[in-house]
């Protein structure tokens, strides 16, 4: 059983929380990360502690799962080694020997570039590292002695396993191919590319869960429909700050159904997970059963899944990995 998790909006949908729930609940042998690199910031709340992870898979909360980073991911060794130290997962961690390396020089280039300023990048060196790889002058993790003990063949491992959870990062509207180009990240991040990042062919994928948040946020520049002010977002308890950059996120009250339908189509989404129902509709905090959600929240969920045409099977009702309504037994609309 191979499941890919992807973001359906502009990132920060709450993928970290959904992944940590699935890691604990479904008990995958392997949790493998695709996507761009340390420009991602996944927040995981587990046993009362908050973790902000940029490279190590959020599924680390299941202590039995092996944690892998795929060949398509770009790795900053400083960020990675600190995270491994923090979560204490060195003995069950591996990284594909072909993965790209982010150097100090890439970060400096990202900070100094006028175009990076225009786009509002995370300044983590991802774009310059991807561009060096495209130009075939980039380094790989095999060139970094500190990473040697972690090198492995990720495609061989994931293709041999029975149950794998694949973590995507960033999100559809930030995809270099399908997002709001040029205000996008440096790679495609739709499910097919996330699969390729870890070495899984299209026929191997069983489920694609697209994660969306009950309202829309975007960090960095580029278009955002129906944007509201910081004051208004604060009033509604929706004002968020970027995990990596600390920048205030821009907010739009609504879901953009045309974009979400397109995202579901190109990702081949088989299920949708929706987060922060408790923020959009107060009174739903920590609810774990569908029937216990308020009518307003249920109406919104039903309208959303009908508009997108994909069933909402997982509903987030709070920050902890266990604040979830899981309706995966109900697979169809
Ligand atoms: P870059 O990926 O750092 O080059 O930044 C390009 C754009 O993508 C900027 O608008 C960033 O804010 C945005 N971005 C990149 N990664 C993430 C993410 O994980 N969450 C939210 N926004 C992101
Ligand atoms: Mg994030």
């Amino acid at each position: 059983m191979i499941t890919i998790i992807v973001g359906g909006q502009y990132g920060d949908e709450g993928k970290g929380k959904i992944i940590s729930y699935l890691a604990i609940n479904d008990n995958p042998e392997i949790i493998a990360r695709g996507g761009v690199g340390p420009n991602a910031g996944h927040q995981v709340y587990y046993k009362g502690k908050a973790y902000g992870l940029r490279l190590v898979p959020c599924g680390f909360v299941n202590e039995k799962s092996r944690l892998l980073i795929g060949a398509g991911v770009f790795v900053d060794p400083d960020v990675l080694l600190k995270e491994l130290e923090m979560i204490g997962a060195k003995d069950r961690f591996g990284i594909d020997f072909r993965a790209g390396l982010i150097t100090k020089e890439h970060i400096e280039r990202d900070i100094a570039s006028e175009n990076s300023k225009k786009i509002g990048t995370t300044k983590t060196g991802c774009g310059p590292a991807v561009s060096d790889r495209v130009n075939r002058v980039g380094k790989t993790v095999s060139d970094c002695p500190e990473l040697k003990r972690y090198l492995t063949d990720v495609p061989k491992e994931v293709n041999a396993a029975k149950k794998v959870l694949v973590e995507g990062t960033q999100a559809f509207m930030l995809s270099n191919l399908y997002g709001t180009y040029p205000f996008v990240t440096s790679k495609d991040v739709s499910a097919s590319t996330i699969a390729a990042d870890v070495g899984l062919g299209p026929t191997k994928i069983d489920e694609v869960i697209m994660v969306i948040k009950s309202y829309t946020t975007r960090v960095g520049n580029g278009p955002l429909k129906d944007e509201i002010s910081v004051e208004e977002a604060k009033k509604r308890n929706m004002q968020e700050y970027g995990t990596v950059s600390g920048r205030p996120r821009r907010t739009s009250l609504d879901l953009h159904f045309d974009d979400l339908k397109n995202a579901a189509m190109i990702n081949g989404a088989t299920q949708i997970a929706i987060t922060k129902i408790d923020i959009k509709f107060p009174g739903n905090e920590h609810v774990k059963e569908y029937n216990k959600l308020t009518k307003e929240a249920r109406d919104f969920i039903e309208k959303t899944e009908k508009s997108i045409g994909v069933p909402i099977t997982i509903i987030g009702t709070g920050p902890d990995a266990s604040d979830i309504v899981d309706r995966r037994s109900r697979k169809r609309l």
Side-chain angles (χ1 to χ4, degrees), residues 39-51:
N39 49 351
H42 287 175
Q43 244 166 353
V44 182
Y45 288 85
Y46 184 58
K47 291 188 176 157
K49 228 183 134 192
Y51 298 86

Side-chain angles (χ1 to χ4, degrees), residues 33-42 53-56 69-70 72-76 79 83 100 102 122 124-127 129-130 168-170 185-189 194 197 244:
R33 192 177 168 306
V36 185
N39 49 351
H42 287 175
L53 293 176
R54 295 165 57 190
L55 276 169
V56 174
I69 291 183
V73 178
F74 289 77
V75 171
D76 177 336
V79 173
E83 285 180 8
I102 298 178
T122 56
T124 49
C126 291
V130 172
T169 62
Q170 287 76 42
T185 192
S186 45
K187 284 176 57 186
D188 173 48
V189 285
I194 299 295
D197 285 342
V244 175

Side-chain angles (χ1 to χ4, degrees), residues 12 41 243 249:
D12 311 311
T243 312
R249 290 183 186 150

Side-chain angles (χ1 to χ4, degrees), residues 66-118:
R66 177 146 167 82
L67 308 173
L68 298 176
I69 291 183
V73 178
F74 289 77
V75 171
D76 177 336
D78 290 345
V79 173
L80 177 66
L81 295 170
K82 264 189 213 133
E83 285 180 8
L84 284 175
E85 193 69 50
M86 172 176 76
I87 62 170
K90 289 181 187 164
D91 295 338
R92 56 190 179 106
F93 173 77
I95 179 170
D96 191 88
F97 64 96
R98 290 153 286 207
L101 190 72
I102 298 178
T103 62
K104 301 245 173 336
E105 192 259 333
H106 289 136
I107 299 172
E108 282 159 19
R109 251 155 76 191
D110 205 359
I111 292 170
S113 150
E114 281 308 315
N115 195 50
S116 288
K117 278 180 207 146
K118 182 186 105 188

